[in-house]
Amino acid sequence: MRKLYYLPDYGIYADSGEDCTEKLQAFFELVENGAAVQFQKGDYYVLGEVKIRGKDDIKIFGSNSRIIANFNPCGSKSENNDVFKFYDCLNLEIAGFTFDTNNPIGAAGEVIALDFEAKTVDVKIYDEFPVTGFEHFAATNSFDDKGAPDYALATYNNIFTECKTEMPDGSRGIRYIGLDYEVIGKNTVRLRLGRSLADKERCRLKIGHKINIRYEIYGNSVFSFAFCRRVLLKDILINSAASFGVTIEPRSSDFTFDNFSIRVSKGSRRLKAINADGIHILGLYGSLVMKNCDIEGLGDDALNIHGLATVVTELSGGELKMTGREYKLYYSIKNRSWADCGDIVDIYDKNTFLKTGSFTVKEQKNDGTLIFEGLKGKLDEGSVLANSTFYASVHIDGCTFKHTRARGGLIQTQNVLIENCIFYGLSYAAMLFSPDIRTWWEVGPAKNVEIRNNVIEYCAVIENSNNEGALVFKSSHEGDNTAYPAGVHEKIYIHRNIFRDIPNNAIFVSAANDVRIEENEFYDCCKNVRRPDCEYADYDIVALNCRSVRLEGNSTNRGEEKLFFEN
């Protein structure tokens, strides 16, 4: 018989108006394994992080319970909080909650004036978001008439300058300044944009353009998990969060998201629900399942799943040293999560990204030294390494992704099935499959990917040289991808999807082997291509540097001559 913990029995009540962080922390420390925890219906203010460690077989149930986190739009980022941090837990189920913040995570309004000489833009902020002049503006984005972030205005000022000043109550305090602005009238701000505002002849920003202002970009998460296994998040709704919805650290495994949603609350004029990624995964093994999820209005990718790439700097016998993107790798070595005994590490050529071999890990030392055995193939100084343990399988079924300023999915793993989903109004690709060792040091290449029965509409909407299409396979997130040879990606099957109103290419595949594209329908694609002078800009399907590409039964309303380009 599962023991039931009812929060009022432990002095934790909904709608009390008090911060219950300390009470929740003490409560979860006494919860026994194999138990169920029941929250009341109503609001719980959790203004600090609740850390839950070492639990097994715990079910945490809400009853339309709303958890309200702290967000200070005028203060230091350190004042904001994660909500639940799970470490070394397994067999978790969390269900029946809504998450919100006690203050807006950003503001929204419309352009009312542009001054191209002074390089300023005036924005009338909706009354829902009172502006005092002390809010820190970390980023701005414009939105088009279809609700997609269109980058007519896009600024990024995530590093704040601290300025001592007189506060509204007359005391001395600190104003945190990202993008420079001033309040020029009731709920009206003047953005000082400098070079971020294009010259009049090239500027796409217009009077009436909707503008979103983010008060933060990267920071806290509603949920964070490390070393956690077999986790179910069900019937969860995030209406507002400072940065990420969910972060999953390396050496976690087997996560399921069922009816997990991120979207702005009904009636709000906010343009974004959260300021960064919906689900950000830095190293998962086993499987990721998403079903019946609705993710809309995000500051970055709806889903980003990847492992961490490293490069060999020293090699001697059965030992090597490696480096990568510094802060990620340092953290991963410090907590011994990049590799463990028995992991299979794949080896890639740093120039071609083709696989050259693999080995088995014996030990990862605290100084970053890796001891290995069972080398197959070729390993040199300069080789790129990817821990194949973190190539979690992915199944996404019946989900909706809308109105994010990046991608629906940035997917850097293998054995992937995406079906019965809707993608709409995304700035970049609906789905991007691409490792990256130029900037982000993320892996890995795609293998065994099936994409079927999806509707992909009005995606890849912005004019950007890195925005190839609505469904993209390439070998780095940014920059020229034509240099990579066939074989980086393998076994791709794209069939029975509908692509509609795609400004750029609908399907863009590069550096792949064994590609099947069948029975897809294309309507009104390539209407506003990013590079009109490019020889393949006006084709629904593009395959560059690919081998063994098979097309069958695809149709387009622009004429068969516009269907397919292959070099």
Side-chain angles (χ1 to χ4, degrees), residues 101-326:
T101 52
N102 57 356
N103 290 298
I105 59 162
E110 297 178 11
V111 174
I112 59 173
L114 298 96
D115 188 330
F116 292 100
E117 291 187 4
K119 295 291 185 180
T120 63
V121 170
D122 295 349
V123 179
K124 179 66 174 179
I125 304 297
Y126 300 141
D127 291 342
E128 182 181 342
F129 315 101
V131 175
T132 66
F134 286 83
E135 292 79 11
H136 32 68
F137 287 11
T140 63
N141 272 102
S142 56
F143 283 66
D144 67 16
D145 292 339
K146 296 181 180 180
D150 64 1
Y151 283 65
L153 176 64
T155 64
Y156 193 96
N157 303 84
N158 196 39
I159 299 175
F160 297 155
T161 300
E162 298 183 11
C163 179
K164 292 184 179 179
T165 187
E166 182 175 326
M167 306 302 284
D169 62 3
S171 65
R172 297 293 293 176
I174 296 175
R175 181 188 177 199
Y176 297 87
I177 302 173
L179 175 66
D180 191 19
Y181 73 97
E182 63 175 317
V183 177
I184 60 172
K186 183 180 179 182
N187 259 36
T188 304
V189 298
R190 176 164 292 159
L191 308 179
R192 298 190 180 98
L193 296 174
R195 294 180 180 178
S196 296
L197 182 64
D199 294 337
K200 186 174 183 179
E201 294 75 17
R202 297 183 298 112
C203 185
R204 293 185 294 114
L205 191 66
K206 307 296 181 184
I207 302 296
H209 236 125
K210 291 184 178 180
I211 302 294
N212 182 80
I213 298 169
R214 287 187 278 175
Y215 294 156
E216 184 171 314
I217 302 177
Y218 299 117
N220 304 99
S221 303
V222 173
F223 294 100
S224 65
F225 299 90
F227 295 89
C228 292
R229 292 164 286 164
R230 296 185 294 278
V231 177
L232 169 62
L233 289 95
K234 184 176 182 179
D235 301 330
I236 302 290
L237 171 60
I238 299 175
N239 284 145
S240 177
S243 189
F244 297 94
V246 178
T247 53
I248 302 173
E249 302 286 344
R251 308 223 75 85
S252 293
S253 72
D254 300 305
F255 273 65
T256 297
F257 294 82
D258 185 355
N259 193 32
F260 176 90
S261 298
I262 303 175
R263 60 176 181 265
V264 171
S265 54
K266 291 182 179 180
S268 174
R269 301 187 77 179
R270 284 193 295 129
L271 297 170
K272 286 192 173 78
I274 66 176
N275 284 325
D277 295 353
I279 302 169
H280 191 105
I281 301 174
L282 291 85
L284 182 73
Y285 63 94
S287 66
L288 168 68
V289 176
M290 295 177 63
K291 52 187 179 181
N292 307 314
C293 299
D294 180 10
I295 300 181
E296 305 181 25
L298 274 61
D300 214 317
D301 300 314
L303 168 66
N304 183 346
I305 177 170
H306 62 85
L308 302 179
T310 68
V311 62
V312 177
T313 56
E314 297 179 28
L315 179 62
S316 178
E319 295 188 5
L320 62 84
K321 289 191 175 181
M322 55 190 179
T323 189
R325 198 170 188 214
E326 292 183 7

Side-chain angles (χ1 to χ4, degrees), residues 344-403:
I344 305 297
V345 173
D346 288 341
I347 308 164
Y348 297 92
D349 181 275
K350 66 178 180 180
N351 296 313
T352 66
F353 229 121
L354 296 179
K355 185 177 175 180
T356 64
S358 65
F359 60 76
T360 302
V361 175
K362 290 183 67 177
E363 181 184 357
Q364 177 181 293
K365 294 185 176 180
N366 289 333
D367 66 353
T369 299
L370 207 65
I371 302 174
F372 64 91
E373 61 185 359
L375 174 63
K376 300 176 182 177
K378 184 180 179 182
L379 174 65
D380 299 311
E381 291 184 7
S383 292
V384 172
L385 305 181
N387 190 340
S388 67
T389 302
F390 298 132
Y391 290 163
S393 67
V394 173
H395 184 195
I396 303 176
D397 186 3
C399 297
T400 299
F401 304 89
K402 290 183 177 181
H403 302 151

Side-chain angles (χ1 to χ4, degrees), residues 525-538:
C525 298
C526 304
K527 295 196 301 184
N528 187 27
V529 295
R530 70 198 186 285
R531 293 167 56 191
D533 59 333
C534 178
E535 62 178 334
Y536 52 81
D538 199 30

Side-chain angles (χ1 to χ4, degrees), residues 87 225-227 248-252 282 308 327-340 364-368 390:
Y87 185 90
F225 299 90
F227 295 89
I248 302 173
E249 302 286 344
R251 308 223 75 85
S252 293
L282 291 85
L308 302 179
Y327 78 91
K328 286 185 178 180
L329 185 61
Y330 172 79
Y331 177 77
S332 190
I333 289 172
K334 183 179 178 182
N335 69 7
R336 302 170 67 86
S337 62
W338 190 86
D340 201 359
Q364 177 181 293
K365 294 185 176 180
N366 289 333
D367 66 353
F390 298 132

Side-chain angles (χ1 to χ4, degrees), residues 346 348 355 391 412-417 433 444-450 473 487-492 513:
D346 288 341
Y348 297 92
K355 185 177 175 180
Y391 290 163
Q412 301 166 92
T413 187
Q414 300 179 355
N415 302 308
V416 176
L417 173 59
F433 293 79
K447 186 175 182 180
N448 297 323
V449 174
E450 183 176 3
F473 292 79
V488 175
H489 305 294
E490 292 187 272
K491 297 182 180 179
I492 299 166
N513 178 48

